[in-house]
Amino acid sequence: MAVDYAVIVLYLAGMLAMGWWGMRRAKSKSDFLVAGRRLGPAMYSGTMAAIVLGGASTIGGVGLGYQYGLSGAWMVFTIGLGLLALSLFFSARIARLKVYTVSEMLDLRYGGSAGLISGVVMWAYTLMLAVTSTIAYATIFDVLFGMDRTFSIILGGVIVVAYSTLGGMWSITLTDMVQFVVKTIGVLLLLLPIAVIKAGGFAEMKAQLPDDYFAPLGIGGQTVFTYVLIYSFGMLIGQDIWQRVFTARGDKVARLGGTAAGTYCLVYALAGAVIGTAAKVLYPHLGSSDDAFATIVKDSLPMGVRGLVLAAALSAVMSTSSGALIACATVANNDIWSRVKAFAAARRRAADPGAGVSAGADAGADVDSGAHGAGEERGHDEVRGNRIFILLMGVAVIVIAIALSNVVEALTLAYNVLVGGLLVPILGGLLWKRGTAAGALASVAVGGVTVIGLMIALGVLANEPIYYGLIASLVAYVVVSLATKPTDPAVLTAWRARLAGDSPGHAASDGTTAEAAAAPAERV
């Protein structure tokens, strides 16, 4: 195992080195949160595939293949379908908005009154997504080194928090590209063919296993439908996914690069299911289906190759964990904490009208900061502030991961709350001009409460919470929107201009004008 250990240690050291290198590139808020919005097709598609294919897609995907056969691919397959839908139909418009968070998009669309509550929902989702990825370190490090669960979570979590805090999205992008390559080689090019050969080939697998293992809907039609609602729609609205869309250099990169990443996900889904099916032939009596990945890697692969494939599993977990962590910190800082500070400042100005003069001067300085030396200093302050939030959220994620044990329930909880609360107001804002801020708020509140209430009553893994939550959210959105005054035409005009990427003189969220944002960017 010495060679395997060396591979893993070198991989982890490389992740930290990437974080240090990324720190030197993160000079502004835009650099730190969205990699300067200048990723080209190769970098964009690789990092997008890396973030959506995490530990649940790798270890969990193989586990579903072990339990259900080829139809176990459906969970990861629906993730790929969601990414394809996002890339083909929405990514270009999302990229042109030049924002940092989903809540900022809702503020633009509905006139600035929906961001806080949606920010809280999105924060809860990204926090739980980061937690589920962090829990997976325990499984991997146990196989690698026989480590204690708590120590494994702390070790993996500290490494991810370290490189994410150092360089933000630049560090995460660089590490994700390495992780994408490692996953491709380790899972698709090495583990997949070796597992099939060890199991005796497809003919032997069919002879050894029931026919249900090779039926397209062996996992159950209702389960597939639920996967579509949770994961396909979840891909359309998650902050962790949107924040990657914001890194694209332009519309075409977002559309074509995302399409390539979605297609890769479909291949990865089938590969995981086939590996799991082969594991069922080789190890028919495992105590848990989630042990299939680690078992087949440990027992079937030669030294060195085993280390690389385990590094692939580790990279899958780290890519999702880091992406969810920076998304969680971005939402906490930009959508929650900044609004709380603004509310407190407004209260102070109301109590002391004289304070409004200095506040106005500060606001004027903020406007100038995008182009002048004062702006550079403010940019450093913003980077420092976001670093602090990543560090704080990272500590919270590690603590919660140590306390929790059921990854599937935590992941289901996160996606149910996200989709049940935010799918309708987000897609409604993009597709229906009659939707209003009151309708959006009602949709978030009713959908979220319905989902949470039904999960408490019926169980986290029940299908009904997301079904009835979405229906309640849609009804509330439509009824309240039609019953309230239409959105201010000026707000809609500004919204359409941002969607079209045509907002002359308007300062984008990263401090650049629309014209500057449209200028040719550095190729990465």
Side-chain angles (χ1 to χ4, degrees), residues 413-454:
L413 172 65
Y415 271 98
N416 276 353
V417 172
L418 171 73
V419 175
L422 291 181
L423 177 68
V424 171
I426 291 173
L427 293 189
L430 289 169
L431 301 173
W432 190 41
K433 66 179 182 180
R434 186 59 181 83
T436 66
L441 289 171
S443 178
V444 173
V446 171
V449 168
T450 301
V451 165
I452 293 172
L454 288 175

Side-chain angles (χ1 to χ4, degrees), residues 13-33:
M15 295 301 98
L16 292 174
M18 291 289 185
W20 183 262
W21 190 87
M23 180 178 66
R24 304 179 64 182
R25 300 204 64 168
K27 303 298 184 183
S28 68
K29 179 180 179 180
S30 177
D31 286 334
F32 192 81
L33 295 182

Side-chain angles (χ1 to χ4, degrees), residues 84-339:
L84 284 172
L86 173 72
S87 303
L88 292 172
F89 302 117
F90 299 107
S91 63
R93 281 182 285 180
I94 292 170
R96 287 195 292 265
L97 290 174
K98 302 295 181 186
V99 296
Y100 291 109
T101 68
V102 174
S103 295
E104 288 180 33
M105 167 263 168
L106 291 173
D107 277 349
L108 283 172
R109 169 59 181 82
Y110 295 112
S113 58
L116 181 59
I117 186 171
S118 65
V120 172
V121 173
M122 190 64 75
W123 173 80
Y125 156 73
T126 52
L127 179 70
M128 293 309 297
L129 185 62
V131 166
T132 60
S133 300
T134 304
I135 290 173
Y137 296 132
T139 301
I140 297 171
F141 283 117
D142 178 55
V143 173
L144 288 172
F145 308 114
M147 287 182 179
D148 173 73
R149 177 182 184 276
T150 298
F151 185 75
S152 298
I153 290 173
I154 293 173
L155 175 61
V158 165
I159 292 172
V160 169
V161 172
Y163 72 69
S164 300
T165 302
L166 285 173
M169 187 60 82
W170 269 122
S171 293
I172 292 170
T173 296
L174 294 170
T175 55
D176 277 358
M177 277 305 298
V178 174
Q179 290 158 356
F180 171 74
V181 173
V182 171
K183 277 191 287 192
T184 301
I185 296 174
V187 175
L188 297 185
L189 302 183
L190 293 177
L191 183 57
L192 174 61
I194 290 174
V196 172
I197 292 171
K198 288 278 187 179
F202 284 103
E204 182 63 20
M205 290 162 62
K206 291 198 71 172
Q208 292 282 340
L209 298 172
D211 291 340
D212 286 350
Y213 267 70
F214 302 91
L217 294 177
I219 198 171
Q222 187 179 33
T223 299
V224 174
F225 181 65
T226 302
Y227 284 161
V228 170
L229 289 182
I230 294 176
Y231 298 115
S232 295
F233 286 131
M235 288 296 105
L236 299 181
I237 59 175
Q239 169 67 25
D240 52 324
I241 308 302
W242 277 41
Q243 199 157 342
R244 294 310 173 98
V245 175
F246 300 150
T247 66
R249 190 172 63 223
D251 300 357
K252 291 183 178 179
V253 170
R255 185 183 298 111
L256 297 178
T259 301
T263 304
Y264 179 90
C265 290
L266 303 183
V267 175
Y268 200 88
L270 185 59
V274 171
I275 293 168
T277 305
K280 184 66 175 179
V281 174
L282 295 169
Y283 316 102
H285 304 299
L286 291 178
S288 169
S289 60
D290 286 339
D291 294 335
F293 180 88
T295 302
I296 196 170
V297 169
K298 189 175 182 179
D299 294 348
S300 300
L301 300 182
M303 183 174 57
V305 174
R306 180 171 51 224
L308 182 60
V309 174
L310 287 172
L314 190 59
S315 70
V317 175
M318 284 187 162
S319 58
T320 298
S321 181
S322 59
L325 177 60
I326 193 172
C328 179
T330 302
V331 170
N333 189 15
N334 291 268
D335 292 336
I336 300 176
W337 177 240
S338 64
R339 294 171 196 272

Side-chain angles (χ1 to χ4, degrees), residues 338-468:
S338 64
R339 294 171 196 272
V340 171
K341 288 196 301 180
F343 177 76
R347 291 287 299 272
R348 287 196 300 270
R349 287 195 297 271
D352 182 10
V357 176
S358 61
D362 291 341
D366 286 347
V367 171
D368 293 337
S369 67
H372 303 292
E376 294 180 6
E377 182 177 349
R378 183 171 183 268
H380 288 305
D381 290 341
E382 289 178 330
V383 170
R384 184 165 57 248
N386 280 291
R387 278 201 178 105
I388 291 171
F389 267 87
I390 289 181
L391 183 60
L392 292 175
M393 293 301 103
V395 172
V397 164
I398 292 172
V399 170
I400 296 171
I402 292 171
L404 292 180
S405 59
N406 194 312
V407 178
V408 175
E409 286 194 359
L411 188 65
T412 302
L413 172 65
Y415 271 98
N416 276 353
V417 172
L418 171 73
V419 175
L422 291 181
L423 177 68
V424 171
I426 291 173
L427 293 189
L430 289 169
L431 301 173
W432 190 41
K433 66 179 182 180
R434 186 59 181 83
T436 66
L441 289 171
S443 178
V444 173
V446 171
V449 168
T450 301
V451 165
I452 293 172
L454 288 175
M455 282 193 293
I456 293 172
L458 303 176
V460 174
L461 298 180
N463 292 324
E464 289 81 3
I466 190 62
Y467 296 166
Y468 294 118

